[in-house]
Amino acid sequence: MANYAKRLWLEEDLGDDYRWSYRVSEVLFSGRSEFQEIDLVDTPTWGKVLLLDGKMQSTEADEQVYHELLVHPPLLHHAGPKRVFIMGGGEGATAREVLRHKTVEQVVMVDIDKVVTDFCSKHLERNTKAFADPRLTLINDDARTQLEQAADGSFDIVIGDLADPLDGGPCYQLYTQEFYRNVVLKKLAPGGIFITQSGPAGFLSCKEVFSSIHATVRSVFPVVVPYAQHIPSFCDIWGYNMAFTDAAQGPLSPEELDARIAARLDGVPLHFLDGPTFQGLRHLNKMVRTALEQETEVYTKDNARFIHGAGVKA
């Protein structure tokens, strides 16, 4: 096995004519659910890596940066978040970060794949406590179905930690204007905040999906704050869109954000995020800002953009 592991590499297509690869030290798990192929591998560069359908989802090396930026900005900008709904997030890291907030009383996480959530709850050590937290309700079902069934105004925060919109996959329908307007917005309580991961946001890649997701969110919510950060294992800058239901809401000052971090979290320092950092992440470069300002195409069931993505064992 040791000699075989030295020869095992994973390749992931990043575009029609380019890909990257990384060496695998050990295959910890490889299986398939009714929805997707699931692999957990150990690597010299990234530590443990979770892959779904051959596409890198999360690594020990940098997942905390991605998840801190997805979770803490919306929760910290809310006056006192108690109820949080997570769409996707099967590995448990999003719930882990949400549950660090002292004000949170209930977290509903809906991920369609029970094989993924069962596996991650047992084998991703950073997240095992989150799965066991009594404040967490885990439901293996379609996120839209569960959110639709909730009473209007049920949640202070809705988090979209969904798979990227891929051609042929159903997930893009959870990025549409109709879904945001008729489901997400209605289920948020007054003063509620919505956040979604929004795909590659580099100056060469931002028009793939980031600008269109931003335009879609902006067409529904009165205030939308885009921001972005380089995630090394994603091979690009990664974008987020944070949306407020109240037109009077907006970004906090760095000083106020730091004060809320100190007062609200569980006492364990954040690895990456603080007030000055978040202020910097909101300052997008000119090319990306222009793309967002000029974008007019919104996601609908019949009109969507997709990320290129597929992985193969080599």
Side-chain angles (χ1 to χ4, degrees), residues 74-103:
L75 270 77
L76 291 168
H77 279 82
H78 193 279
K82 295 181 179 180
R83 301 160 313 223
V84 179
F85 189 94
I86 302 171
M87 300 185 291
E91 71 179 277
T94 298
R96 178 196 71 210
E97 294 300 318
V98 170
L99 290 164
R100 296 184 61 184
H101 286 255
K102 300 173 185 177
T103 61

Side-chain angles (χ1 to χ4, degrees), residues 22-33:
Y22 49 94
R23 187 168 69 81
V24 173
S25 304
E26 184 180 1
V27 178
L28 302 173
F29 175 84
S30 185
R32 176 175 288 277
S33 73

Side-chain angles (χ1 to χ4, degrees), residues 47-64:
K48 289 182 181 178
V49 175
L50 175 68
L51 302 106
L52 299 178
D53 284 334
K55 188 173 177 63
M56 183 181 280
Q57 300 295 309
S58 179
T59 80
E60 283 185 321
D62 59 9
E63 64 88 1
Q64 288 169 304

Side-chain angles (χ1 to χ4, degrees), residues 10 55 59 103 113 124 132 136 151 172 174 177 189 208 227 241 263:
L10 285 178
K55 188 173 177 63
T59 80
T103 61
D113 200 332
L124 297 184
L136 176 68
Y172 81 90
L174 299 183
Q177 183 186 61
E208 289 180 18
Y227 56 98
N241 281 289

Side-chain angles (χ1 to χ4, degrees), residues 196-305:
T196 182
Q197 76 89 5
S198 301
F203 62 85
L204 293 178
S205 59
C206 63
K207 293 182 181 180
E208 289 180 18
V209 297
F210 180 50
S211 61
S212 186
I213 292 173
H214 176 74
T216 307
V217 178
R218 193 178 61 209
S219 73
V220 174
F221 291 86
V223 179
V224 181
V225 178
Y227 56 98
Q229 165 60 33
H230 179 237
I231 306 294
S233 64
F234 291 174
C235 297
D236 210 334
I237 309 295
W238 214 253
Y240 305 80
N241 281 289
M242 179 171 63
F244 298 89
T245 56
D246 185 342
Q249 292 173 295
L252 298 170
S253 69
E255 295 76 18
E256 178 61 25
L257 201 63
D258 281 340
R260 292 191 179 188
I261 290 172
R264 292 190 184 182
L265 267 64
D266 56 9
V268 179
L270 293 175
H271 287 79
F272 185 82
L273 182 68
D274 63 6
T277 298
F278 188 66
Q279 184 180 46
L281 299 181
R282 302 197 320 268
H283 289 284
L284 305 174
N285 67 65
K286 179 181 178 181
M287 292 177 69
V288 175
R289 292 198 316 272
T290 301
L292 298 186
E293 291 165 1
Q294 295 179 350
E295 183 62 73
T296 59
E297 188 172 308
V298 301
Y299 272 80
T300 67
K301 290 183 178 180
D302 301 318
N303 183 51
R305 295 180 187 174

